[in-house]
Amino acid sequence: MELENMSSLEPRKRRSKSSLTSYDNNSINEFSKNNRILDIMKSRLFISILIVSVVFIVLACIGIVVIYEKENEVVVTVEAWKDDLSDEQAEWFDSGLSELKVALSVKQNKRRAKNVVLFVGDGMGQSTVTATRIHKFGEQGLLSWEKFPHVGLLKTYCFDKQVPDSTSTATALFGGVKTNYETGGVDSGVPLANCEASLNATHHVDSILQWAQDEGMSTGFVTTTRVMHATPAALFAHTADRRWECEATMPDSVRAKGCKDIARQLVENVPGKNLNVIMGGGRQCLVSNVTGTADDPIDTWGCISMDRRNLIEDWKKDKMKRGFRASVLQTNNDLDKLDTANTDFVLGIFANGHMRYDYERKNRSTGMPSLKQMTLAAVSVLSKNQKGFILVVEGGLIDQAHHRGWARKAVSETSAMDEAVNATLDILKHEMDESLIIVTADHSHSLSINGYAGRGQDIFGIAQKSKIDGIPYTTLTYATGGPNGFQVENDEHGMPRRRDPTTQDTTAYDYVQQVAILTDENAHTGSDVAVYAIGAGDTQA
């Protein structure tokens, strides 16, 4: 070891002189280099660049609100130059910053959704959403679903028309396949009213409820329309004509070929007979020769069964035969007394036709429940399944009100759906890590919000006077509509002019908004509709 140490010293001694020489040369080179750097630093170009850089950095620091984000969580906020803002500007600064913080704090939940609630506002276009928001909360307010973190747009055209009906759009929503106008649960190989083509199973489009049943999940739907109406029908039926809600609207030749009406498909066929929850109206389609009352009249627009069937009794017998605990509901009182913990199947038929508009419902025990009440009861029944559930909730009377030009009623129905969504969020708040709530529409209506009403003004009030004829016009109008909306009269000279809306109560529920084009009823539009989502969602699925 000693010899090795001594020998190792020799090279160091021999290298020392060479290293010294190298060190001296390096020192000289370094000195020259430093002089050149000093010359550059003293140059005007360098000084100019330095000044510009400093100014840019200073402006960036004091002129921008810097938000540091780490793993989608805002951890530091630098609120620079806010102190220099006026109170009027600071209000919007704070509002924007608050929304930005919320957006950046959203955590992605990539778990596969065990429970799904899909809300469909029938005819709930963006003008309807905006009008409801303003009416309910003011211009800066938000409906429940407008706070959801995920938003997109849906195209609404159907296979053969730019502007769709509700059955074709429901088929696309629930089955992912665009089909022909006024057909449901079938693909575009089935022309309207073609019974033979609809019997071909290769043309059948299964809905999300069928898929869920195949996975052992619980399923159901609630609606404020007849349960065989356009939108819900696409969940369980395969029909060449949406009008075939019961046998009375089907030609004899069609029935002879073996096509079933939508009501029978709901009770007798899969997936209808396996739906755990069915709630809405439509008794006159399920039971023949029902009678109407002042509170629950016969719906002359809908099918009225005459074949002496009682499909509600058939539904009960089927569930008893299969050993299930089943309940039939007809009133508020029935729904209140429902033992959801000990119920497997529920058929709630609360009206002969469509249910009453929310504002005119009778809250007494013999009255009809709200969309919120039906939704909460449905979730309670379905959530017992450990494999999860899918529930579809339709605010169907939004569309019915729009068709007749009743903007106030349409907004009221949208508000009722807002309450149902809020209640669902609350009841599922402890399961949101594995639940998905979606809100969307099937199509839009031609409701418009016209200029230039003052902020805070009643959305159902007067916007201003026309600058051409001096006649006032309302903030809300429609492009198309029936005779009640086409409000044209002759003046004292016999010349046509638009009726002055200030002669009527434009805020009344039954006020019919003015329309530009006369037709039989207010028509749908082909505009895109929004889709909002919150909760679980497996991005890999």
Side-chain angles (χ1 to χ4, degrees):
M1 288 292 293
E2 291 179 0
L3 291 174
E4 290 176 355
N5 287 338
M6 290 177 64
S7 63
S8 66
L9 292 174
E10 289 301 320
R12 294 179 187 176
K13 291 179 181 179
R14 289 195 295 269
R15 287 196 301 267
S16 62
K17 184 176 181 179
S18 175
S19 299
L20 180 61
T21 303
S22 176
Y23 173 78
D24 292 340
N25 291 334
N26 287 340
S27 297
I28 294 170
N29 292 335
E30 188 67 27
F31 181 77
S32 299
K33 181 180 179 182
N34 289 340
N35 283 337
R36 288 196 299 274
I37 292 174
L38 288 172
D39 290 339
I40 293 172
M41 292 177 66
K42 293 178 181 179
S43 68
R44 293 182 177 179
L45 177 61
F46 177 80
I47 293 173
S48 300
I49 294 173
L50 181 62
I51 291 173
V52 171
S53 300
V54 169
V55 170
F56 177 80
I57 293 171
V58 170
L59 289 175
C61 290
I62 67 173
I64 300 176
V65 175
V66 183
I67 296 179
Y68 298 91
E69 182 187 359
K70 182 179 181 181
E71 296 180 357
N72 293 324
E73 294 185 3
V74 178
V75 294
V76 178
T77 302
V78 182
E79 297 183 1
W81 62 264
K82 179 183 173 182
D83 292 339
D84 296 331
L85 297 177
S86 66
D87 291 342
E88 292 81 3
Q89 296 176 43
E91 174 188 354
W92 303 107
F93 180 96
D94 290 338
S95 175
L97 185 58
S98 177
E99 291 186 14
L100 187 58
K101 286 181 180 179
V102 171
L104 292 174
S105 297
V106 172
K107 294 182 179 180
Q108 297 296 322
N109 183 351
K110 296 184 179 181
R111 296 184 60 177
R112 186 183 297 274
K114 173 184 173 183
N115 308 312
V116 179
V117 184
L118 171 58
F119 287 88
V120 180
D122 196 324
M124 190 182 72
Q126 283 310 106
S127 291
T128 306
V129 173
T130 302
T132 305
R133 177 206 309 144
I134 293 173
H135 175 64
K136 197 169 186 178
F137 302 115
E139 288 83 356
Q140 281 188 262
L142 292 171
L143 298 174
S144 55
W145 56 83
E146 293 184 294
K147 302 172 188 176
F148 288 6
H150 308 292
V151 182
L153 289 174
L154 297 178
K155 297 178 180 178
T156 60
Y157 68 94
C158 61
F159 183 80
D160 58 346
K161 286 186 180 291
Q162 289 180 351
V163 179
D165 80 301
S166 293
T167 312
S168 59
T169 52
T171 302
L173 271 178
F174 305 144
V177 175
K178 286 190 177 291
T179 190
N180 292 320
Y181 184 72
E182 294 187 335
T183 66
V186 292
D187 62 30
S188 57
V190 178
L192 178 61
N194 189 313
C195 170
E196 295 94 331
S198 70
L199 291 173
N200 185 342
T202 61
H203 290 308
H204 290 181
V205 176
D206 289 336
S207 76
I208 52 176
L209 298 191
Q210 177 68 70
W211 305 342
Q213 289 179 9
D214 292 342
E215 296 296 322
M217 301 170 70
S218 293
T219 57
F221 73 88
V222 303
T223 178
T224 49
T225 67
R226 299 183 296 271
V227 295
M228 318 81 188
H229 197 241
T231 301
L235 287 166
F236 58 84
H238 308 289
T239 182
D241 194 327
R242 59 175 285 179
R243 298 170 185 81
W244 297 347
E245 292 188 35
C246 72
E247 91 294 335
T249 51
M250 299 179 73
D252 292 340
S253 59
V254 168
R255 281 183 284 159
K257 292 174 183 176
C259 281
K260 282 187 179 182
D261 59 68
I262 297 171
R264 285 186 61 195
Q265 290 191 55
L266 174 63
V267 174
E268 299 174 357
N269 292 10
V270 174
K273 65 186 298 183
N274 292 329
L275 293 172
N276 301 90
V277 174
I278 302 167
M279 292 190 195
R283 188 181 300 108
Q284 66 189 48
C285 299
L286 293 163
V287 181
S288 293
N289 302 313
V290 297
T291 57
T293 66
D295 289 336
D296 184 20
I298 298 296
D299 185 353
T300 57
W301 285 58
C303 187
I304 304 173
S305 177
M306 304 295 290
D307 64 358
R308 299 182 181 179
R309 288 181 180 270
N310 187 328
L311 292 176
I312 293 179
E313 285 299 316
D314 291 350
W315 181 90
K316 287 172 61 178
K317 291 176 182 178
D318 173 71
K319 303 305 174 284
M320 291 176 62
K321 182 179 179 180
R322 293 196 278 163
F324 293 118
R325 301 166 296 181
S327 297
V328 173
L329 315 176
Q330 299 190 70
T331 64
N332 269 330
N333 190 49
D334 292 342
L335 186 61
D336 290 340
K337 292 182 177 180
L338 177 65
D339 183 3
T340 57
N342 295 295
T343 301
D344 302 315
F345 285 82
V346 177
L347 177 62
I349 304 298
F350 303 105
N352 287 319
H354 294 325
M355 295 178 66
R356 306 291 291 196
Y357 286 104
D358 190 72
Y359 83 95
E360 61 184 7
R361 282 187 312 106
K362 301 293 190 298
N363 288 321
R364 58 176 180 257
S365 62
T366 57
M368 301 176 191
S370 67
L371 187 64
K372 171 184 172 180
Q373 290 171 305
M374 292 190 293
T375 301
L376 291 180
V379 170
S380 184
V381 171
L382 298 173
S383 59
K384 299 191 300 290
N385 190 336
Q386 294 302 309
K387 291 186 178 180
F389 68 85
I390 292 184
L391 172 66
V392 176
V393 180
E394 185 204 16
L397 298 185
I398 301 170
D399 177 73
Q400 294 299 306
H402 276 317
H403 275 305
R404 289 149 186 81
W406 293 325
R408 179 71 186 269
K409 291 183 182 181
V411 165
S412 174
E413 291 301 305
T414 306
S415 177
M417 198 173 85
D418 178 52
E419 293 172 7
V421 174
N422 265 324
T424 303
L425 289 167
D426 187 60
I427 197 174
L428 291 177
K429 61 185 176 184
H430 298 301
E431 288 83 39
M432 283 308 295
D433 61 327
E434 56 182 3
S435 299
L436 173 64
I437 298 178
I438 303 169
V439 178
T440 190
D442 53 352
H443 59 77
S444 184
H445 267 274
S446 67
L447 181 73
S448 63
I449 303 176
N450 303 285
Y452 297 94
R455 181 177 170 186
Q457 187 170 313
D458 193 331
I459 193 68
F460 303 111
I462 301 298
Q464 64 175 12
K465 292 182 179 180
S466 165
K467 294 182 179 179
I468 301 299
D469 59 21
I471 299 174
Y473 60 88
T474 55
T475 302
L476 301 179
T477 59
Y478 289 95
T480 59
N484 291 336
F486 192 69
Q487 299 173 17
V488 177
E489 58 190 12
N490 291 332
D491 62 15
E492 62 275 15
H493 304 294
M495 300 298 292
R497 68 180 180 188
R498 184 171 49 84
R499 185 183 304 158
D500 184 350
T502 61
T503 61
Q504 296 176 273
D505 181 6
T506 62
T507 66
Y509 281 99
D510 59 356
Y511 175 74
V512 178
Q513 258 70 25
Q514 293 182 349
V515 304
I517 299 172
L518 175 62
T519 182
D520 60 334
E521 65 175 9
N522 296 31
H524 297 175
T525 68
S527 304
D528 294 353
V529 296
V531 54
Y532 310 81
I534 188 172
D538 186 349
T539 56
Q540 304 304 314

